[in-house]
């Protein structure tokens, strides 16, 4: 039997973590986040795939791939696409597993346009404002719900 799988998707500009607005997003890099998630997943006996793109279509393709490759859950930080992408919402609506939306900053304490999320209309859970630890909280939730 194959290992259960979780897919982590990072949206635009998250490749700049650690150097872009560290006062908002911290100093941890995307590699730091992915490596910590991989360590947790492997210890729990899960397979994990992490992917970042600045391109909406590539993120949608990754969601479509998750529908077909046995992925049980998606952790997604759609970044700016949170507030604009009906296409990502539509792709997530076609995914039958669990979806957890993650935001490093507390989007509700920021500009008003950041208060609306299309992804939240599909997400089973939303984590915002815990910094990069929000990713780990999302993964922990998925692992515990699968027990």
């Amino acid at each position: 039997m194959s290992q259960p799988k979780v897919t982590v998707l990072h949206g635009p500009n998250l490749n700049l973590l650690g150097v872009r607005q560290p006062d908002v997003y911290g100093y941890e890099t995307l590699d730091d986040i992915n490596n910590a998630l991989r360590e947790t997943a492997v210890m729990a006996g899960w397979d994990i795939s992490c992917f970042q793109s600045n391109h909406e279509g590539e993120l949608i393709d990754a969601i479509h791939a998750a529908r077909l490759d046995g992925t049980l859950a998606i952790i997604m930080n759609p970044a700016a696409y949170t507030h604009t992408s009906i296409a990502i919402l539509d792709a997530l609506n076609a995914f039958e597993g669990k979806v957890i939306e993650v935001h490093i900053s507390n989007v509700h304490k920021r500009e008003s346009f950041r208060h609306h999320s299309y992804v939240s209309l599909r997400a089973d859970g939303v984590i915002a404002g815990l910094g990069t630890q929000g990713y780990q909280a999302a993964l922990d939730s998925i692992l515990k719900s699968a027990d």
Side-chain angles (χ1 to χ4, degrees):
M1 183 173 174
S2 64
Q3 294 177 302
K5 182 176 181 182
V6 60
T7 296
V8 182
L9 300 175
H10 307 281
N13 299 310
L14 291 172
N15 56 305
L16 299 176
L17 284 176
V19 295
R20 175 183 164 239
Q21 293 179 275
D23 55 316
V24 175
Y25 301 109
Y27 290 95
E28 223 176 342
T29 67
L30 194 60
D31 283 342
D32 294 334
I33 293 166
N34 289 338
N35 289 336
L37 292 172
R38 281 188 190 100
E39 184 177 317
T40 300
V42 167
M43 287 177 50
W46 279 60
D47 186 19
I48 189 168
S49 168
C50 300
F51 176 72
Q52 186 277 330
S53 180
N54 295 317
H55 305 280
E56 184 179 33
E58 288 183 356
L59 293 166
I60 291 166
D61 288 344
I63 295 165
H64 290 184
R67 291 182 60 238
L68 303 174
D69 71 4
T71 294
L72 297 179
I74 292 174
I75 297 169
M76 184 172 198
N77 183 342
Y81 289 135
T82 302
H83 324 291
T84 63
S85 184
I86 295 168
I88 287 175
L89 170 63
D90 288 346
L92 288 170
N93 280 333
F95 176 74
E96 294 180 7
K98 189 171 201 166
V99 174
I100 303 208
E101 178 182 357
V102 173
H103 298 284
I104 295 168
S105 67
N106 182 349
V107 293
H108 302 289
K109 287 180 73 174
R110 298 182 65 194
E111 304 94 336
S112 62
F113 71 85
R114 295 186 194 276
H115 299 176
H116 179 265
S117 168
Y118 284 105
V119 173
S120 291
L121 295 171
R122 168 55 181 91
D124 298 294
V126 178
I127 299 170
L130 294 182
T132 57
Q133 299 234 337
Y135 286 99
Q136 190 69 48
L139 181 58
D140 289 345
S141 173
I142 290 164
L143 297 176
K144 284 185 171 108
S145 70
D147 287 341

